[in-house]
């Protein structure tokens, strides 16, 4: 059998069998293709049929025809898609406009709106000269609006912060606080002026004290104490003035009272008593004058009346120049009035 098959072994025979089966399948495939394209025509019949077509030199190749067919099929698909889209749109339009009259009415409405829009556009102001185009104007306007929006947000934030701070403010209004500050400043200025006057008195007193021995200084202390006792209706008296010009006072209970604990009215009484005592000592029987600047403003009515009486008594010997902004004080002191 191997000799008949012209092979050396069984394995080689199997391989040849497999090759033969493959070739048979290929032949069957070609036969099927031939039958598909040529039908039952023989090769000779096919040649005769081709001759009937005449000169085939101008016939395109199969590849070119297939390429053109593919392109045509693509166009066909596009046209079918476009057709379906148009059919859909036509359906929508038919549903929306019903008929040609409805479409005409819609067209008229659109034209009227276009005319209205054009009229509104014509009413708009011309483009500002600093802008070269409408796009530039729109960009600038957008930037301005954006900045405006950010400023509005910042303002809202500031307002919120203001309201939060306002909650922490004291119950007094700004006007009330301003009035309190004004009163405090006024009081401070008055006390500052008093301090300046006392310093001036102290300065002059130091000069005088250098000329006086300890024994001769006793009349000043005595006069000072008498004036103070009169001004305070016996509530205070002076006991001494040391070398550093520290005033030593006692109240009616013989308790020593520092100046820092005195009321503003009593403090003014001390200052006036000291001035009168020093002036009385310095001037003696000589002619002279004393200038007082509204030193009764903080005294109560009783002390003010006593002070006016003492000043008038002093004015009986020496000239007193008294400045005041109070008509009542001026009337109480009497004398020659000069209104400014």
């Amino acid at each position: 059998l191997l000799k008949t098959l012209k092979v050396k072994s069984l394995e080689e025979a199997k391989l040849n069998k497999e090759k033969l089966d493959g070739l048979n399948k290929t032949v069957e495939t070609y036969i099927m293709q031939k039958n598909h394209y040529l039908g039952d025509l023989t090769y000779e019949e096919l040649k005769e049929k081709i001759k009937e077509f005449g000169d085939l030199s101008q016939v395109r190749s199969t590849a070119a025809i297939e390429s053109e067919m593919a392109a045509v099929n693509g166009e066909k698909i596009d046209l079918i898609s476009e057709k379906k889209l148009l059919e859909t749109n036509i359906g929508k339009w038919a549903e929306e406009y019903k008929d040609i009259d409805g479409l005409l009415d819609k067209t008229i409405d659109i034209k009227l709106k276009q005319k209205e829009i054009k009229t509104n556009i014509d009413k708009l102001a011309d483009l500002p000269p600093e802008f070269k185009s409408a796009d530039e104007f729109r960009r600038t306007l957008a930037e301005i609006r954006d900045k405006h929006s950010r400023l509005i947000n910042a303002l809202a934030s500031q307002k919120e912060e203001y309201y939060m701070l306002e909650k922490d403010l004291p119950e007094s209004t700004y006007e009330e606080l301003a009035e309190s500050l004004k009163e405090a400043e006024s009081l401070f200025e008055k006390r500052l002026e008093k301090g300046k006057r006392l310093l001036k008195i102290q300065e002059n007193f130091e000069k005088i004290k250098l000329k006086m021995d300890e024994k001769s200084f006793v009349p000043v202390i005595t006069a000072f104490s008498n004036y103070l006792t009169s001004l305070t209706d016996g509530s205070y008296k002076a006991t001494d003035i040391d070398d550093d010009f520290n005033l030593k006072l006692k109240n009616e209970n013989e308790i020593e009272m520092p100046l820092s604990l005195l009321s503003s009215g009593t403090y003014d009484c001390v200052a006036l008593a000291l001035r009168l005592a020093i002036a009385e000592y310095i001037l003696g029987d000589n002619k002279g004058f004393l200038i007082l600047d509204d030193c009764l403003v903080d005294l109560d009515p009783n002390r003010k009346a006593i002070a006016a009486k003492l000043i008038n008594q002093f004015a009986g010997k020496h000239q007193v120049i008294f400045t005041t902004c109070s008509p009542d004080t001026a009337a109480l002191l009497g004398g020659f009035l000069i209104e400014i």
Side-chain angles (χ1 to χ4, degrees):
L1 180 61
L2 294 175
K3 289 181 179 181
T4 304
L5 296 175
K6 297 180 180 182
V7 294
K8 296 179 180 180
S9 64
L10 185 59
E11 287 75 12
E12 185 178 355
K14 288 180 179 180
L15 289 174
N16 289 339
K17 178 66 169 62
E18 291 176 358
K19 290 179 181 180
L20 179 61
D21 291 340
L23 291 173
N24 287 333
K25 288 182 179 180
T26 301
V27 170
E28 289 177 0
T29 301
Y30 287 152
I31 292 172
M32 290 176 64
Q33 290 179 354
K34 189 270 293 184
N35 292 333
H36 175 72
Y37 292 112
L38 303 179
D40 296 331
L41 296 175
T42 64
Y43 178 74
E44 296 299 331
E45 291 173 340
L46 182 60
K47 286 176 64 177
E48 291 297 327
K49 194 169 184 65
I50 290 174
K51 288 180 180 180
E52 294 177 1
F53 292 107
D55 185 11
L56 299 179
S57 60
Q58 302 299 322
V59 176
R60 291 171 295 173
S61 66
T62 304
I65 294 173
E66 289 178 349
S67 176
E68 186 175 344
M69 287 180 64
V72 171
N73 287 333
E75 292 179 2
K76 179 181 178 182
I77 292 172
D78 292 339
L79 290 172
I80 292 172
S81 299
E82 185 177 356
K83 176 188 174 187
K84 289 183 178 180
L85 178 61
L86 291 174
E87 288 175 346
T88 301
N89 290 336
I90 290 172
K92 291 180 180 179
W93 295 336
E95 183 179 353
E96 182 177 358
Y97 306 117
K98 307 302 180 184
D99 52 27
I100 191 66
D101 292 333
L103 179 60
L104 182 61
D105 292 340
K106 187 67 175 180
T107 303
I108 293 172
D109 290 341
I110 292 174
K111 287 186 176 296
L112 289 174
K113 288 182 179 179
Q114 287 179 337
K115 185 176 180 180
E116 181 181 356
I117 292 172
K118 185 177 183 304
T119 301
N120 292 333
I121 291 175
D122 292 339
K123 291 180 180 179
L124 294 176
D126 294 335
L127 191 68
E130 62 268 24
F131 297 101
K132 297 180 180 179
S133 66
D135 290 338
E136 182 184 358
F137 174 76
R138 282 194 292 269
R139 285 195 301 270
T140 304
L141 181 61
E143 292 173 359
I144 293 173
R145 286 175 173 171
D146 179 65
K147 183 178 180 180
H148 177 264
S149 177
R150 285 186 277 108
L151 290 174
I152 290 295
N153 293 334
L155 177 61
S157 177
Q158 291 293 324
K159 285 183 177 179
E160 182 179 355
E161 183 178 356
Y162 168 78
Y163 293 139
M164 294 298 294
L165 293 174
E166 191 176 37
K167 292 180 181 179
D168 298 331
L169 290 176
E171 294 182 359
S172 301
T173 64
Y174 170 79
E175 290 75 12
E176 292 171 342
L177 291 174
E179 185 63 27
S180 297
L181 176 61
K182 185 177 179 180
E183 292 175 358
E185 289 176 342
S186 176
L187 180 60
F188 173 77
E189 290 296 331
K190 289 179 181 178
R191 291 184 175 177
L192 182 62
E193 287 300 321
K194 290 177 185 178
K196 289 179 179 179
R197 290 195 293 268
L198 287 175
L199 288 174
K200 189 67 176 178
I201 292 172
Q202 181 181 8
E203 180 182 351
N204 292 329
F205 189 78
E206 290 292 339
K207 293 178 181 178
I208 295 170
K209 192 171 66 169
L210 292 175
K211 301 177 182 179
M212 300 165 55
D213 56 25
E214 184 177 351
K215 185 175 181 180
S216 64
F217 196 58
V218 173
V220 176
I221 298 174
T222 302
F224 172 41
S225 183
N226 291 336
Y227 278 124
L228 181 59
T229 301
S230 297
L231 286 169
T232 60
D233 198 18
S235 297
Y236 294 92
K237 65 180 179 179
T239 59
D240 192 16
I241 302 176
D242 63 19
D243 293 338
D244 294 325
F245 202 69
N246 293 314
L247 307 180
K248 295 183 179 181
L249 310 177
K250 286 185 178 181
N251 62 14
E252 56 188 346
N253 297 319
E254 294 297 320
I255 298 174
E256 191 167 315
M257 296 293 294
L259 293 177
S260 59
L261 296 181
L262 300 179
S263 65
S264 58
T266 302
Y267 192 91
D268 285 351
C269 289
V270 172
L272 178 59
L274 186 59
R275 291 177 193 172
L276 293 174
I278 294 174
E280 183 179 282
Y281 179 82
I282 294 174
L283 296 175
D285 294 329
N286 299 317
K287 296 294 182 180
F289 63 90
L290 176 64
I291 299 176
L292 299 174
D293 180 21
D294 216 357
C295 57
L296 310 183
V297 66
D298 288 329
L299 302 186
D300 59 47
N302 183 49
R303 289 183 175 182
K304 185 178 290 188
I306 296 173
K309 182 178 179 181
L310 292 176
I311 292 172
N312 281 322
Q313 289 176 359
F314 186 88
K317 297 179 181 179
H318 308 285
Q319 183 181 11
V320 176
I321 300 173
F322 194 100
T323 61
T324 181
C325 59
S326 171
D328 293 338
T329 301
L332 187 63
L333 289 170
F336 182 71
L337 299 179
I338 300 176
E339 295 184 4
I340 300 176

